[in-house]
Amino acid sequence: MTALFNYKLKGTDGLARTGVISTPRGEIRTPAFMPVGTAATVKAMMPESVAATGADILLGNTYHLMLRPGAERVARLGGLHRFMNWEKPILTDSGGFQVMSLAGLRKLTEQGVTFRSHIDGSKHELTPERSMEIQRLLGSDIVMCFDECPALPASDKAVAESMRLSMRWAARSKEAFGDRPGHALFGIMQGGVTPELREESAAALTGIGFDGYAVGGLAVGEGQEAMFGVLEYAPGFLPEDKPRYLMGVGKPDDIVGAVKRGIDMMDCVLPSRSGRTGQAWTRRGQVNIKNARHQDDPRPLDEACGCPACRNYSRAYLHHVFRSQEMISGMLLTWHNLHYYQEIMAGMRAAISEGRFAAWEAAFHALRAEGDIEPV
C-alpha cells in the first residue's frame, strides 16, 4: 500500500492502455469504470454490493453534497468515506457541470458562479477556491478542478472563451488545492470539438501540472461520432505517464470505443439509472424487462453472468417485480448492470495485457449485434 498517489502504465495494445493507479486507500485498476454515488450513495445498492461487482473507486458529487447534507457536516462526521461506509478511493467532481445544468438563476463571472439551489432556492457561490475547500472537507482521494462546461453545439468563439476561463480556474484550483500528499488533483481539458482549442487547453493544463487529466466537455449532446472524433486526437495531447479520464461516459460501446482511443477512467449514471427504470445491459445489448415477452420466461437475463440477478432470478420474476413497483427490481437490475460494466472493464484489461484487444473488441460487437435471445 502506497502513502502517495501514483500511476503506473503496465501495458498497451494500439492506443488502448492498462495500468494501476495507487492511492493510500487502495489500487484502481485501469481501464476503470466508476459507479456514480451522487449523494453519497449508489442508488439501490449497498456499498458492499458495489464493491462485490468489482468497482475499485466511486464518484461523489460536490454540488449535491455541498447543498445536502453540507461539506462541513460531512467533515465533522469523519469525512465522506466514513459517512457512506466506502473504504476504497473516491473521486469527487468539481460541481461545475451541475451548476450549469441543474441550478437556477446562474450568474457566471471571472470569480466563479453564483446560483440558486435546485432543492430550495437558497443562494450559493461556487468558485475554484470553494470547490477545492468542499472537496478537501469531503476527503476525496481524487479532486477535480473547477471548470465550466458549455453545452454543445456552441460557437467556436463561445467554446474558446469558456475553455480559457476554465484554464484560469484550473490555475486557481491548483493553487487552492495546495500540498496534500496522498490526494490527487486532476485538470480538465475543454475545447469542444475543435482540435486547436483542445491542444491549447492541454498545453495550458500540462503547463500548470496535474496528477491526472480529464477530457471534459463531451457526452453533452454532440453524439457518439463527434465524441469519438475528438478522442481520436485529444488523449494524445495529454502526458502518457498520467491517467486520462473521460467524464460522464457512458453506454457500453461508448466505453469500449473510448478505451480503444486511449482513455483510462470513465463514470456514468447510466447503469444505475437504467436499472431503476427496468433496463438491463447485457452481452447481447439492452433488455427492457418491462416488456410482456418476459412474463413467462424462466431463463436468466444473461446465462453467462454471475451476478445475483442472473444466478438466482428469472426474467419472469424480474418482469413481475418491476411491474409491481417493488424495490427489489431496481436493486437487482442495478447490481446486474454494474456487474456487467465491471466485467467489460476486466475483459479489456486482460485483452490489452495479452495483446488481443482488437479480437476482444470484435467479439464484443459481434455478440451485441446478434441481439437478445429469442422469446420462449
Side-chain angles (χ1 to χ4, degrees), residues 285-347:
Q286 199 170 0
V287 173
N288 290 316
I289 204 65
K290 66 189 79 171
N291 292 348
R293 60 162 285 187
H294 304 296
Q295 63 186 353
D296 292 309
D297 196 333
R299 298 170 297 180
L301 273 175
D302 186 336
E303 290 182 348
C305 179
C307 83
C310 293
R311 274 201 324 267
N312 303 321
Y313 301 95
S314 66
R315 290 181 177 221
Y317 179 77
L318 295 172
H319 171 83
H320 159 68
V321 290
F322 179 81
R323 285 295 188 183
S324 302
Q325 298 183 346
E326 294 289 347
M327 286 187 291
I328 196 173
S329 170
M331 295 163 63
L332 288 172
L333 291 179
T334 299
W335 193 323
H336 166 80
N337 286 342
L338 291 175
H339 179 97
Y340 174 57
Y341 270 55
Q342 295 299 341
E343 282 201 337
I344 292 174
M345 309 318 290

Side-chain angles (χ1 to χ4, degrees), residues 7 9 86 101 126 158 171 179 189 238 251 261 293 364 376:
Y7 170 70
L9 179 62
W86 177 262
S101 62
L126 200 52
D179 184 20
M189 176 206 287
L238 299 172
K251 295 179 180 179
R261 292 163 174 83
R293 60 162 285 187
F364 167 84
V376 291

Side-chain angles (χ1 to χ4, degrees), residues 15 51 86 115 122-123 161 165 199 209 222 243-244 252 260 271 292 299 317 337 344 368:
L15 296 177
W86 177 262
F115 63 93
S122 57
K123 190 175 180 180
E161 289 176 354
L165 175 63
E199 186 171 17
E222 76 284 355
R244 302 164 177 169
K260 178 181 181 178
R299 298 170 297 180
Y317 179 77
N337 286 342
I344 292 174
R368 286 172 62 82

Side-chain angles (χ1 to χ4, degrees), residues 15-224:
L15 296 177
R17 298 148 45 100
T18 186
V20 175
I21 299 169
S22 298
T23 81
R25 290 189 179 271
E27 293 186 338
I28 304 160
R29 299 162 294 175
T30 65
F33 178 79
M34 298 182 284
V36 176
T38 301
T41 176
V42 178
K43 289 180 174 63
M45 295 286 285
M46 297 287 285
E48 302 92 324
S49 305
V50 179
T53 68
D56 293 333
I57 179 173
L58 294 185
L59 182 143
N61 185 270
T62 290
Y63 170 84
H64 289 280
L65 293 169
M66 71 176 278
L67 295 179
R68 185 172 56 192
E72 284 76 10
R73 176 171 287 124
V74 172
R76 289 195 301 271
L77 293 168
L80 186 56
H81 294 84
R82 178 179 294 179
F83 187 60
M84 67 182 293
N85 189 32
W86 177 262
E87 297 180 351
K88 295 183 178 187
I90 295 174
L91 178 149
T92 45
D93 63 13
S94 70
F97 178 78
Q98 285 72 28
V99 167
M100 301 304 163
S101 62
L102 292 180
L105 300 175
R106 298 179 299 274
K107 183 180 179 182
L108 176 69
T109 68
E110 184 69 33
Q111 178 63 17
V113 186
T114 54
F115 63 93
R116 292 199 179 275
S117 163
H118 74 287
I119 298 171
D120 60 10
S122 57
K123 190 175 180 180
H124 300 268
E125 182 180 35
L126 200 52
T127 65
E129 292 77 15
R130 177 60 177 154
S131 178
M132 295 304 101
E133 181 185 24
I134 292 168
Q135 294 182 78
R136 178 184 60 79
L137 289 166
L138 296 174
S140 56
D141 305 277
I142 300 177
V143 170
M144 300 305 298
C145 280
F146 188 61
D147 68 330
E148 186 200 6
C149 180
L152 297 179
S155 69
D156 281 355
K157 182 175 184 291
V159 172
E161 289 176 354
S162 172
M163 180 272 289
R164 289 164 189 150
L165 175 63
S166 289
M167 296 307 98
R168 296 192 294 274
W169 284 358
R172 286 167 55 191
S173 295
K174 175 71 179 289
E175 184 175 356
F177 179 80
D179 184 20
R180 297 183 60 203
H183 298 264
L185 179 64
F186 281 24
I188 305 175
M189 176 206 287
Q190 293 289 351
V193 295
T194 306
E196 293 78 12
L197 294 179
R198 287 282 174 181
E199 186 171 17
E200 179 184 335
S201 179
L205 292 173
T206 53
I208 298 167
F210 291 96
D211 302 297
Y213 297 87
V215 180
L218 295 177
V220 290
E222 76 284 355
Q224 188 190 74

